[in-house]
Amino acid sequence: MQISSRFTVALHILTCVETFKDQYKITSDFLAGSINTNPVIIRKILAQLKNAGLITVARGTGGVNLTRPLNEISFYDVYEAIEPVENGDLFSFHTSPNPQCPVGRNIHNLLDDKLKAIQLAMEAEMKKYTIEDLSGGMKELLAKEI
């Protein structure tokens, strides 16, 4: 299992929006330059973030803005927007293990609760971190570069 790079790209986008909001108009081309990827990929991720209510995007060259304070956008919020889980379950389970096999007959009973606990632990950890954490860390790093 691997979460796609779209999640970290989305975090990069939100950090850029906050870091450069007073210096530049934040467009998909600007973001693509920072992330070093195609603007089309950025626009798709921006659409997901917009649909989740995390950003607004002005048409044309209007730019991107956050809709909430930094400390109210958690990594989990971004994860939900970018990597929505099917049926609320992070782990996909093969649907029809062989009921004639003792393992196949019992595997769901053995694994379902454990996999759900793992998912809930990951989600709880993601809820601890916000875009404010990234923005604050970025400000510290940039101050050291000067």
Side-chain angles (χ1 to χ4, degrees):
M1 172 188 73
Q2 186 176 37
I3 295 172
S4 77
S5 64
R6 290 175 301 158
F7 172 67
T8 55
V9 168
L11 293 172
H12 187 140
I13 287 170
L14 296 173
T15 304
C16 275
V17 169
E18 178 58 24
T19 301
F20 298 116
K21 67 182 178 192
D22 296 326
Q23 299 169 319
Y24 301 98
K25 191 167 285 194
I26 309 300
T27 65
S28 57
D29 287 332
F30 177 84
L31 293 165
S34 175
I35 296 164
N36 202 24
T37 192
N38 190 301
V40 173
I41 293 168
I42 300 303
R43 285 192 282 278
K44 288 178 183 178
I45 294 171
L46 289 173
Q48 289 178 289
L49 294 170
K50 182 180 176 188
N51 289 338
L54 299 177
I55 62 169
T56 59
V57 180
R59 288 268 182 222
T61 59
V64 178
N65 293 295
L66 302 179
T67 59
R68 304 191 295 219
L70 300 177
N71 65 343
E72 292 180 16
I73 302 175
S74 71
F75 283 25
Y76 180 72
D77 295 327
V78 177
Y79 171 73
E80 272 192 311
I82 301 301
E83 302 281 353
V85 292
E86 192 173 312
N87 300 321
D89 292 323
L90 178 62
F91 296 96
S92 296
F93 212 112
H94 50 291
T95 56
S96 53
N98 184 350
Q100 303 305 312
C101 172
V103 173
R105 183 171 51 248
N106 292 294
I107 194 69
H108 272 285
N109 291 332
L110 294 171
L111 276 179
D112 288 351
D113 291 346
K114 292 168 184 62
L115 295 176
K116 191 56 150 179
I118 292 166
Q119 177 180 342
L120 293 173
M122 182 190 85
E123 291 172 355
E125 194 66 22
M126 292 178 106
K127 290 174 184 177
K128 292 179 183 179
Y129 301 100
T130 67
I131 301 305
E132 184 175 57
D133 298 321
L134 291 177
S135 178
M138 185 60 61
K139 287 177 186 172
E140 288 177 23
L141 290 171
L142 292 175
K144 289 178 183 178
E145 287 182 1
I146 296 176

